[in-house]
Amino acid sequence: MGEFKVHRVRFFNYVPSGIRCVAYNNQSNRLAVSRTDGTVEIYNLSANYFQEKFFPGHESRATEALCWAKGQRLFSGGLNGEIIEYDLQALNIKYAMDAFGGPIWSMAVSSCGSQLLVGCEDGSVKLFQITPDKIQFERNFDRQKSRILSLSWHPSGTHIAAGSIDYISVFDVKSGSAVHKMLVDRQYMGVSKRKCIIWGVAFLSDGTVISVDSAGKVQFWDSATGTLVKNHLIANADVQSIAVSDQEDSFVVGTAEGTVFHFQLVSVTSNSSEKQWVRTKPFQHHTHDVRAVAHSPTALISGGTDTHLVIRPLMEKVEVKNYDAALRKITFPHRRLISCSKKRHLLLFQFAHHLELWRLGSTVATGKNGDTLPLSKDADHLLHLKTKGPENIICSCISPCGSWIAYSTTSRFFLYRLNYEHDNISLQRVSKMPAFLRSALQILFSEDSTKLFVASNQGSLHIIRLLEGSFKHLHTFQPQSGTVESMCLLAVSPDGNWLAASGTSAGVHVYNIKHLKVFEYSIPDKQYTEWSRTIQKQGFHYLWLQRDTPITHISFHPKRPMHILLHDAYMFCIIDKSLPLPNDKTLLYNPLPPTNESDVIRRRTAHAFKISKIYKPLLFMDLLDERTLVAVERPLDDIIAQLPPPIKKKKFGT
């Protein structure tokens, strides 16, 4: 593996936005997550919960509702009163439509996937037909006296339940009229509250309506008679979210105390066919409000103010010791927020509305393996570049030479030239960018910093030659006819002759920059190198397969072509292709043998995977030169310290 000097960086003051909504799609096994800054993320649960797509946030889009419809279509609604549909191929907003009811608080799609309900601030429930290209307003239901905070369809599509303030309404879909209004008890721990907010409702096949409210209650209602059947007081604060399994034998709720409760439908006695709902398992994986929950066939999913997306496996539903059996806590985006200028030892940090440029510290001290060396010069904060307007930054990059910075929002692309004079830095914006560079999903500079590669959300890939303070458009690779696949990942070869791009499908496109030709490498066809074929034949070590976080970065050692460097959030690994692969009988996390061991023993215990778990959570790691690494960590305690204080729970004896 060799020795490296490591710059251990902890001054990236990044705080993820809190989670507001989650929506699970059973057909595609994908999870949509919306955050408080308007960002929407798509996770592929079949691919180690990888965050494969995202839609950048916007200051005017506070998303309050998120749902999937038939045909893998995704909709959201928020406080600006707009219904948004997302284009999952082009990775942009397909359209936005005003619902004309004020802020939108809730949404629900019918079980057949062709009708959309929207609950609004003005008390209206609006029904839309989902057409192949758009949605079409059909009618309003009877208007209620207060905002509609939660909605749920009966599986038959004949009735809906709507949660408001102090009551739940049951509507007949055909007539649009309310057939029942169920008043909720305002009592909270024996004290009458001013009002009771119905944060969530779920309509079951047998006519039962389950509600969760601000009084800490989970209640069961008979929709046919409009009467309360059962009441569970489970929290000293709001119960804010609910999700039911497809089989309707299990549901999950989240509370403002950070607790997630699991309810299951169980037989009253071992020989009885009669069943009842029982609270079976409480989980405390959050420090703050659990604003959203989802229920997949094998897991309970929750998210909230503490920014964590937590996936708790249902062990009775999964095979033991595989990917699905691991408890996951996803905090950081899987996309790159950090880029590096190796020549000048600079790091560019991306935030929602600004960029920061830092120069790494340096030392003249020496030491042995594992020593922490004192800095002779501290890290310098060189530049704070703030964006204008309400749009979040999508992507950014600094050139390897440190002389260029590029970044993009949804509607604007920016390119800057940096000039250095001693300890001073000046910034010059390159003006008059061409119309085709309006926006980018991914940006990358060539190793020699003479070219800029820009992937647009229309599937095209632009090549720009960088000149002194200006640029020249060299070529644009257009997408195949009839496709709008957006390129989410870019990588360029060290000699600058080859560019690889991966998009929203399972393919990798390889471009010959020198001759401006394109090739396609198909992942499903398994056309791998000889070493990759060996991996496919032998398989990975079982502990490697049990890792619960995806690889977020891969690179190659410039002087050692047999070495592959990669990392996820909790480990850094160097794979030496010249050594044998580990089998299940060897130790995967094998520390280097003592130096006093014989060469024979050292060779016998050595294998290709050299893993370090010193640095975590690890947001970025790369080589500065052949003997120097830079690692950027973001301790979770630093994030929690910047969040609002959680609800204090009374402990026994205090």
Side-chain angles (χ1 to χ4, degrees):
M1 187 172 182
E3 288 189 357
F4 294 93
K5 183 185 290 185
V6 181
H7 289 267
R8 195 169 186 176
V9 174
R10 289 191 169 188
F11 48 76
F12 181 26
N13 193 28
Y14 174 75
V15 179
S17 295
I19 293 174
R20 183 61 193 92
C21 311
V22 296
Y24 174 68
N25 187 313
N26 198 20
Q27 281 68 45
S28 64
N29 200 26
R30 281 170 169 79
L31 183 77
V33 176
S34 69
R35 296 186 179 267
T36 52
D37 68 347
T39 299
V40 174
E41 303 161 345
I42 310 294
Y43 292 82
N44 187 341
L45 275 57
S46 301
N48 204 11
Y49 291 78
F50 179 63
Q51 185 193 107
E52 62 181 9
K53 301 174 184 178
F54 88 103
F55 300 86
H58 193 285
E59 286 183 349
S60 70
R61 288 201 305 265
T63 304
E64 289 290 328
L66 194 66
C67 62
W68 293 93
K70 186 178 180 181
Q72 314 302 318
R73 296 170 67 178
L74 182 64
F75 295 89
S76 74
L79 299 185
N80 64 356
E82 290 182 339
I83 304 169
I84 292 173
E85 181 174 2
Y86 299 88
D87 189 325
L88 299 180
Q89 289 299 313
L91 298 185
N92 57 18
I93 291 177
K94 192 174 180 180
Y95 60 85
M97 175 187 294
D98 196 326
F100 295 103
I104 295 171
W105 293 98
S106 53
M107 299 178 85
V109 170
S110 61
S111 57
C112 65
S114 61
Q115 293 177 299
L116 175 68
L117 284 175
V118 175
C120 300
E121 172 74 18
D122 66 357
S124 64
V125 177
K126 299 175 182 292
L127 179 64
F128 293 83
Q129 289 292 333
I130 302 175
T131 63
D133 298 320
K134 215 170 182 182
I135 58 173
Q136 183 175 336
F137 175 74
E138 188 167 321
R139 69 166 180 275
N140 286 315
F141 288 71
D142 288 350
R143 180 169 292 188
Q144 305 303 294
K145 293 181 179 179
S146 59
R147 64 181 61 150
I148 306 299
L149 293 161
S150 50
L151 287 167
S152 181
W153 287 83
H154 186 272
S156 68
T158 59
H159 293 80
I160 66 165
S164 190
I165 297 175
D166 291 335
Y167 63 88
I168 303 163
S169 300
V170 176
F171 292 90
D172 180 274
V173 173
K174 189 174 182 179
S175 66
S177 301
V179 294
H180 286 295
K181 186 175 286 188
M182 301 175 289
L183 293 176
V184 179
D185 188 0
R186 295 185 182 181
Q187 287 288 321
Y188 172 71
M189 303 293 289
V191 179
S192 181
K193 296 186 72 176
R194 186 177 63 183
K195 59 184 178 181
C196 185
I197 301 170
I198 315 302
W199 287 118
V201 289
F203 213 149
L204 305 186
S205 299
D206 65 359
T208 300
V209 174
I210 309 172
S211 65
V212 297
D213 60 43
S214 60
K217 302 189 298 292
V218 176
Q219 296 186 311
F220 298 81
W221 305 83
D222 185 337
S223 66
T225 61
T227 56
L228 179 65
V229 176
K230 198 169 185 180
N231 177 58
H232 289 264
L233 180 63
I234 66 168
N236 295 325
D238 296 44
V239 185
Q240 297 180 309
S241 48
I242 181 172
V244 181
S245 68
D246 286 346
Q247 291 76 28
E248 297 186 355
D249 58 355
S250 168
F251 71 87
V252 57
V253 299
T255 74
E257 297 172 325
T259 308
V260 172
F261 290 98
H262 186 206
F263 284 75
Q264 289 179 286
L265 191 62
V266 299
S267 299
V268 175
T269 62
S270 57
N271 298 322
S272 172
S273 60
E274 183 183 355
K275 294 185 176 183
Q276 64 179 4
W277 287 102
V278 176
R279 188 181 74 190
T280 56
K281 300 171 187 173
F283 304 116
Q284 189 76 43
H285 300 302
H286 296 275
T287 58
H288 292 65
D289 303 43
V290 180
R291 300 294 303 273
V293 292
H295 199 313
S296 81
T298 59
L300 308 178
I301 302 167
S302 55
T305 305
D306 67 3
T307 79
H308 302 311
L309 179 66
V310 176
I311 297 96
R312 172 83 189 195
L314 296 169
M315 297 308 295
E316 67 273 16
K317 301 284 188 180
V318 300
E319 298 177 13
V320 179
K321 292 187 177 180
N322 68 357
Y323 277 120
D324 291 330
L327 173 69
R328 289 172 171 81
K329 185 176 282 190
I330 302 171
T331 306
F332 302 104
H334 295 157
R335 63 189 183 274
R336 181 58 60 89
L337 297 176
I338 303 165
S339 58
C340 176
S341 166
K342 297 179 181 181
K343 180 180 178 180
R344 292 187 177 271
H345 285 207
L346 304 175
L347 291 177
L348 183 69
F349 297 145
Q350 177 183 317
F351 297 84
H353 293 283
H354 76 275
L355 302 173
E356 291 182 4
L357 184 64
W358 288 75
R359 180 188 289 123
L360 293 171
S362 59
T363 183
V364 295
T366 59
K368 62 181 183 298
N369 187 27
D371 285 353
T372 300
L373 304 179
L375 289 176
S376 56
K377 187 175 182 181
D378 290 336
D380 290 332
H381 185 188
L382 302 177
L383 181 68
H384 182 102
L385 184 59
K386 186 173 175 59
T387 64
K388 295 180 180 179
E391 297 175 339
N392 284 18
I393 297 173
I394 300 175
C395 56
S396 62
C397 194
I398 186 170
S399 63
C401 70
S403 296
W404 298 92
I405 287 178
Y407 76 90
S408 180
T409 66
T410 302
S411 63
R412 300 188 73 185
F413 182 89
F414 298 88
L415 179 63
Y416 291 89
R417 173 77 174 180
L418 281 73
N419 297 298
Y420 301 87
E421 294 182 10
H422 305 294
D423 288 336
N424 297 322
I425 183 172
S426 61
L427 197 67
Q428 175 189 354
R429 181 180 169 187
V430 179
S431 59
K432 297 180 180 179
M433 301 302 294
F436 61 80
L437 281 182
R438 187 185 65 179
S439 179
L441 289 176
Q442 196 61 259
I443 306 168
L444 184 66
F445 290 92
S446 61
E447 287 290 323
D448 62 4
S449 301
T450 62
K451 294 185 182 71
L452 174 64
F453 307 105
V454 180
S456 77
N457 60 8
Q458 298 301 315
S460 55
L461 186 58
H462 309 291
I463 304 174
I464 308 297
R465 179 179 294 280
L466 299 172
L467 307 171
E468 190 72 28
S470 63
F471 66 92
K472 179 183 178 182
H473 176 227
L474 291 182
H475 188 73
T476 294
F477 290 105
Q478 298 292 351
Q480 294 179 354
S481 178
T483 66
V484 288
E485 178 188 5
S486 296
M487 298 299 167
C488 309
L489 298 171
L490 295 176
V492 65
S493 62
D495 62 9
N497 290 335
W498 299 92
L499 179 71
S502 180
T504 49
S505 66
V508 176
H509 303 267
V510 179
Y511 301 90
N512 187 316
I513 304 302
K514 191 173 183 179
H515 301 291
L516 301 178
K517 294 181 179 179
V518 60
F519 305 85
E520 187 169 7
Y521 169 76
S522 176
I523 291 176
D525 289 343
K526 294 182 172 60
Q527 295 178 3
Y528 301 107
T529 63
E530 191 62 37
W531 185 82
S532 295
R533 289 193 181 97
T534 303
I535 281 280
Q536 294 294 318
K537 184 177 180 181
Q538 178 175 328
F540 288 98
H541 194 284
Y542 74 97
L543 289 177
W544 182 267
L545 294 177
Q546 287 176 22
R547 290 171 33 259
D548 58 4
T549 55
I551 299 296
T552 53
H553 182 59
I554 301 175
S555 62
F556 294 89
H557 197 290
K559 302 293 185 182
R560 302 172 189 168
M562 298 301 286
H563 286 193
I564 303 172
L565 289 72
L566 48 85
H567 74 81
D568 61 21
Y570 296 99
M571 70 89 198
F572 169 67
C573 178
I574 296 179
I575 300 176
D576 187 343
K577 295 190 291 181
S578 67
L579 293 175
L581 295 171
N583 58 46
D584 287 352
K585 294 181 180 179
T586 60
L587 292 173
L588 178 65
Y589 304 107
N590 187 18
L592 291 174
T595 55
N596 59 358
E597 293 282 5
S598 68
D599 288 343
V600 174
I601 294 176
R602 290 172 66 86
R603 284 196 299 269
R604 188 170 66 236
T605 56
H607 59 69
F609 286 68
K610 302 297 182 287
I611 297 171
S612 170
K613 292 190 172 183
I614 297 174
Y615 312 102
K616 53 188 177 183
L618 189 56
L619 270 63
F620 177 85
M621 196 163 202
D622 205 358
L623 285 164
L624 289 176
D625 56 51
E626 58 181 297
R627 307 300 297 174
T628 309
L629 286 165
V630 57
V632 180
E633 301 169 276
R634 186 65 177 129
L636 296 179
D637 289 344
D638 292 354
I639 294 175
I640 296 297
Q642 297 187 50
L643 298 178
I647 290 177
K648 291 184 178 180
K649 291 184 287 187
K650 185 176 177 63
K651 295 183 179 179
F652 181 74
T654 61

